Amino acid sequence: MGRHVEFGDGLLFSYLIVFVRQYFWIIDNNSLAWTLSVLLAAACWYFYISTKQFRAEKFGRSFWLLVGLPLLLVYLLRAAFPDHSYDVLSYHLLHAERSLRGPLFGPGDFFPTALPFNPAADTLTGISRLFLGFRLGTVINLLALIWAAQIADKILRPFVGRAWLRSVCVLLFVLSENLLFEISTYMVDLLTLPLMLEATLLTLRADEAENHRVNVIHVALLLGASAAFKLTNLAVALPLVAICAYRMAMVRGGWRRSS
């Protein structure tokens, strides 16, 4: 399994914990619910990693100097200013604190929140904030953006062979103004970016997969997770699903042989 584990897989484990935790909202004991969530998420994570269709790829000095270091510097410049945006104070913090202790709605609640979204992303940032505090709790966005940059690097490898030039291209991608704005906030958008990019990469490399059916299952899981975080991600998920369905119809006989 070690040949498949990459930087982003550690972050993916925390994503799985958040999703599994919602299935244990029926348990009143919070400590027991979290313990079961971690154990079940670990099992799901193991099966996902052990069935990955592509080997882990290394990222050399060029990536960390030209991409990782600038992102870290930008984050440190903004980390001193706590996120006081309207949406965060209105419902993101409330959703996070409630979902860390149980379901979003409690007994006897009367109109507890104006925007009852799925709190999965807020639970994830809530875990980060619980361990690192309010200002540094947004570091999970930095990790997600680095993960997204690594996937972008893998997507560009067939087109840009030189590592240093490819790292410059990836840097231009991650230096988008909106990405740098959200890197120090408790908004949910950056958390889903690596999920959608990974699904895109698996779709692009579908013909290279050892088991095409398993590869499509991974794409479906990644897209489903991104949609669970934010429904507007369906704008990206649906075209990828259509491409996968088209390929399934075109090479169906080959898929039977590979499975």
Side-chain angles (χ1 to χ4, degrees):
M1 186 181 71
R3 69 189 182 99
H4 293 303
V5 179
E6 298 179 291
F7 171 84
D9 293 325
L11 197 58
L12 180 63
F13 177 62
S14 63
Y15 284 35
L16 290 173
I17 293 176
V18 168
F19 288 121
V20 173
R21 177 65 181 91
Q22 295 188 359
Y23 288 94
F24 291 107
W25 277 348
I26 59 175
I27 299 178
D28 291 334
N29 189 312
N30 198 36
S31 298
L32 176 61
W34 276 108
T35 300
L36 294 174
S37 299
V38 171
L39 294 176
L40 183 55
C44 296
W45 182 82
Y46 172 81
F47 284 113
Y48 178 86
I49 298 299
S50 62
T51 57
K52 288 179 70 173
Q53 298 298 296
F54 305 102
R55 289 179 176 270
E57 299 184 31
K58 295 183 179 180
F59 299 88
R61 185 183 307 171
S62 61
F63 177 86
W64 294 108
L65 289 178
L66 293 181
V67 181
L69 184 58
L71 288 178
L72 176 61
L73 293 176
V74 169
Y75 177 79
L76 292 177
L77 287 174
R78 297 184 59 91
F81 305 97
D83 183 10
H84 290 157
S85 57
Y86 177 81
D87 287 351
V88 169
L89 297 181
S90 297
Y91 62 91
H92 282 300
L93 296 181
L94 173 64
H95 289 184
E97 294 303 317
R98 287 205 165 203
S99 60
L100 286 175
R101 292 165 174 79
L104 186 59
F105 301 120
D109 275 342
F110 179 76
F111 203 65
T113 175
L115 300 168
F117 298 130
N118 185 345
D122 295 321
T123 307
L124 185 59
T125 57
I127 295 173
S128 179
R129 187 168 58 252
L130 180 66
F131 287 102
L132 299 175
F134 189 79
R135 280 183 171 85
L136 293 181
T138 56
V139 74
I140 194 169
N141 285 325
L142 171 63
L143 300 178
L145 194 53
I146 292 176
W147 182 15
Q150 289 185 341
I151 301 171
D153 183 276
K154 289 189 286 187
I155 292 176
L156 287 176
R157 288 189 179 192
F159 309 100
V160 184
R162 297 179 59 183
W164 289 91
L165 178 60
R166 188 170 62 248
S167 296
V168 171
C169 296
V170 174
L171 179 64
L172 294 177
F173 158 68
V174 297
L175 285 183
S176 169
E177 178 183 359
N178 197 49
L179 297 184
L180 297 185
F181 158 72
E182 292 197 1
I183 197 173
S184 61
T185 72
Y186 285 104
M187 308 298 284
V188 305
D189 304 86
L190 289 186
L191 300 177
T192 62
L193 185 59
L195 298 177
M196 293 185 290
L197 282 174
E198 182 69 16
T200 302
L201 176 63
L202 295 182
T203 302
L204 292 173
R205 299 184 62 184
D207 294 337
E208 306 171 28
E210 298 176 1
N211 189 316
H212 297 282
R213 187 169 299 170
V214 172
N215 189 64
V216 170
I217 292 174
H218 284 197
V219 172
L221 290 173
L222 293 167
L223 294 179
S226 64
F229 274 133
K230 195 168 184 178
L231 280 176
T232 53
N233 291 327
L234 289 174
V236 175
L238 291 179
L240 290 176
V241 170
I243 293 173
C244 290
Y246 173 78
R247 288 188 171 182
M248 183 184 300
M250 294 298 293
V251 295
R252 187 176 179 183
W255 284 30
R256 287 201 187 101
R257 290 191 295 271
S258 67
S259 59

